Amino acid sequence: MARNFTRLFFNAAKKLGKLQRAALRMAAPQRARRPAAAARRAGASAAAPGLGGGCWEAARQFSDAHGQRLSFARYIPPAVPRQGMPLVVMLHGCRQTAQAFAHGSRMNQWADAGGFMVLYPQQSMTRQVQRCWRWFQPDARHGGAEADLIAALISAEVARHGLDPQRVYIAGLSAGAGMAALVALRHPSLIAALAMHSGPVVGDAHTATAGLHTMRRGSLKALTPLLREVADPAVFRLGMPAMILHGQMDPAVAPRNARQLFEQFRAVNGLAADEPVVERVLGLGTEKAYRRVDLLRNCKVVLRLCEITRVEHGWSGGDASVRYHARNGPDASALVWRFFQGQRRVL
C-alpha cells in the first residue's frame, strides 16, 4: 500500500509540474518571443551570449560599386529607434574575427547603454592570410583599397538605416588601429572621430617587412610628411579628433608608436607643438592605472593619449578569455565611447 501511495504521489507531482510549465509558457510575453524568431529568419541572433542584449547579425556581405566584397557583422541595440542613431565601426587585429573582437571588447554592451549601432568589418583570408588589415601597404591597390571599401560600407549602412551622419566613429586594435587611421584620413568628411588601440605610426611602412620594423621601433622619419602621403588633404582643414591607447608592456607594437601617433594627430588637428597639455594619472596603484594626456581646443578635448601601465598587446579591460584582450587596465570600450560622445562631424 505504501508503494502504491508513493507511485500516486510522484505521478501527481509530475502532472503538476507539467501544468506549471505550461502555465508559465502561456504567461510569457509573446512580444519577447517574436523578435527572436524574426532574427533567426533573417540569419541573425537575438541576445546572443556575450554579445549584448540586442540583435547580432553575423556573416553579412557587402559589395561596393566595383564589385569588391567585404564581410561584416552588425549589432543593433534593443528598444532604440535606428533613425538618427550614432554608429561605431570596430576593426579587429591580426588573427582575429569580427565575432572574437565583439566578444573581447564588449563594445556591444556599451551600445546597449549608449544606444548606438556597431559594425564589425572582417578582413578576408584571401586578401591576407592572417586577417591583417594591410595598413603596411597604404597604396591604392592594397591598404588604400581596403580603407575605401570600409568607407563605402559605412556610407551604405548610414543611408540604409537612417543613422546620424554627424556621429560616425571608427576604432581599431593593432592592425585594425592602423586601418582605422587610414579610413579616417582618407575619408575625413565621413568620420567624426577616431580611436587607435596598440596601433602603429601612420604612413611609415609600405611593405610587410617595413611594417614589422615600424611595429618594433616606430618611425625614424619626419612624421607629418608621412601623413601627407596617405591622407586626403581636406583632413588638415577639417581636423580629426583622435584617441590613442597603448599598453606600456606591449612587446608587439612598441609604445613609441603611440607617442608618435600623438604628434601626427597634433599636426592633423592644427595644434601647435608648444600647445600646453593637460596630464593626469588615474587609478594609481591599481591594475587599472594609466596616464592620460589631453590637448584641448575651446575647452574641448581634441586629442587624447592613454598610456596604460599594466597592459601588453591587447584591448585594455576586455574579456581575457579571448585572445588579444587584457583583463588589466581601464575598460577601453568605455573610454573610447565617452571620447566619441563629445565629437561630431559638422561640415
Side-chain angles (χ1 to χ4, degrees):
M1 177 142 183
R3 188 176 300 155
N4 290 338
F5 178 79
T6 303
R7 187 181 298 115
L8 287 169
F9 175 81
F10 280 112
N11 286 340
K14 190 181 294 185
K15 289 179 182 177
L16 181 61
K18 287 181 179 178
L19 288 170
Q20 288 175 331
R21 286 192 293 273
L24 285 171
R25 282 195 298 271
M26 291 177 67
Q30 296 299 309
R31 198 168 53 182
R33 293 205 300 269
R34 279 197 295 268
R40 283 193 295 273
R41 287 194 296 272
S45 172
L51 291 171
C55 183
W56 171 256
E57 298 176 275
R60 309 290 297 183
Q61 291 291 327
F62 170 76
S63 294
D64 69 4
H66 308 289
Q68 297 296 309
R69 294 175 66 84
L70 180 64
S71 297
F72 71 99
R74 180 194 296 128
Y75 180 74
I76 304 170
V80 181
R82 295 187 196 182
Q83 192 71 30
M85 186 185 289
L87 174 65
V88 173
V89 181
M90 296 283 285
L91 298 181
H92 63 79
C94 294
R95 301 177 185 174
Q96 282 189 313
T97 63
Q99 183 152 328
F101 194 30
H103 267 292
S105 67
R106 302 192 186 106
M107 186 59 85
N108 292 356
Q109 284 82 341
W110 282 101
D112 289 349
F116 57 91
M117 186 181 291
V118 195
L119 293 182
Y120 295 88
Q122 181 170 283
Q123 175 65 303
S124 167
M125 291 180 71
T126 60
R127 288 196 185 98
Q128 213 291 327
V129 68
Q130 295 184 327
R131 292 198 194 278
C132 298
W133 300 103
R134 292 179 291 182
W135 61 271
F136 47 81
Q137 291 176 292
D139 59 273
R141 292 181 57 227
H142 300 95
E146 289 173 8
D148 295 347
L149 183 56
I150 293 167
L153 166 66
I154 294 169
S155 296
E157 289 289 293
V158 169
R160 176 180 179 178
H161 299 284
L163 307 178
D164 187 347
Q166 294 187 352
R167 294 187 293 164
V168 175
Y169 312 105
I170 192 164
L173 170 65
S174 191
M179 182 50 62
L182 272 184
V183 175
L185 291 169
R186 290 174 69 90
H187 301 273
S189 62
L190 180 65
I191 304 298
L194 159 72
M196 298 161 283
H197 198 315
S198 310
V201 66
V202 175
D204 182 67
H206 289 267
T207 67
T209 301
L212 290 173
H213 288 304
T214 300
M215 290 164 61
R216 289 170 184 160
R217 48 134 174 88
S219 180
L220 302 178
K221 305 168 189 173
L223 296 173
T224 303
L226 296 179
L227 289 172
R228 297 189 185 279
E229 293 178 12
V230 300
D232 182 335
V235 76
F236 293 95
R237 172 177 55 84
L238 296 172
M240 181 57 62
M243 182 176 193
I244 302 148
L245 307 97
H246 212 109
Q248 296 304 284
M249 299 169 65
D250 192 332
V253 181
R256 184 169 186 254
N257 283 275
R259 294 188 289 274
Q260 292 188 323
L261 281 171
F262 188 82
E263 294 307 318
Q264 286 188 313
F265 280 88
R266 182 198 290 263
V268 165
N269 289 291
L271 298 163
D274 59 354
E275 192 84 22
V277 300
V278 179
E279 183 176 334
R280 291 186 64 189
V281 176
L282 297 99
L284 187 63
T286 73
E287 62 184 16
K288 299 186 181 299
Y290 71 104
R291 173 176 173 261
R292 190 179 75 191
V293 182
D294 288 342
L295 274 170
L296 290 75
R297 177 182 285 126
N298 299 326
C299 300
K300 180 179 176 180
V301 177
V302 175
L303 182 57
R304 171 166 286 172
L305 170 63
C306 297
E307 296 180 318
I308 306 166
T309 309
R310 298 186 184 182
V311 167
E312 297 183 0
H313 191 67
W315 189 266
S316 176
D319 183 342
S321 68
V322 183
R323 194 177 186 188
Y324 303 121
H325 296 84
R327 181 181 63 84
N328 286 348
D331 184 336
S333 294
L335 297 182
V336 166
W337 172 237
R338 286 170 191 156
F339 177 75
F340 285 166
Q341 282 181 293
Q343 313 295 338
R344 283 176 179 263
R345 172 60 73 210
V346 180
L347 298 174

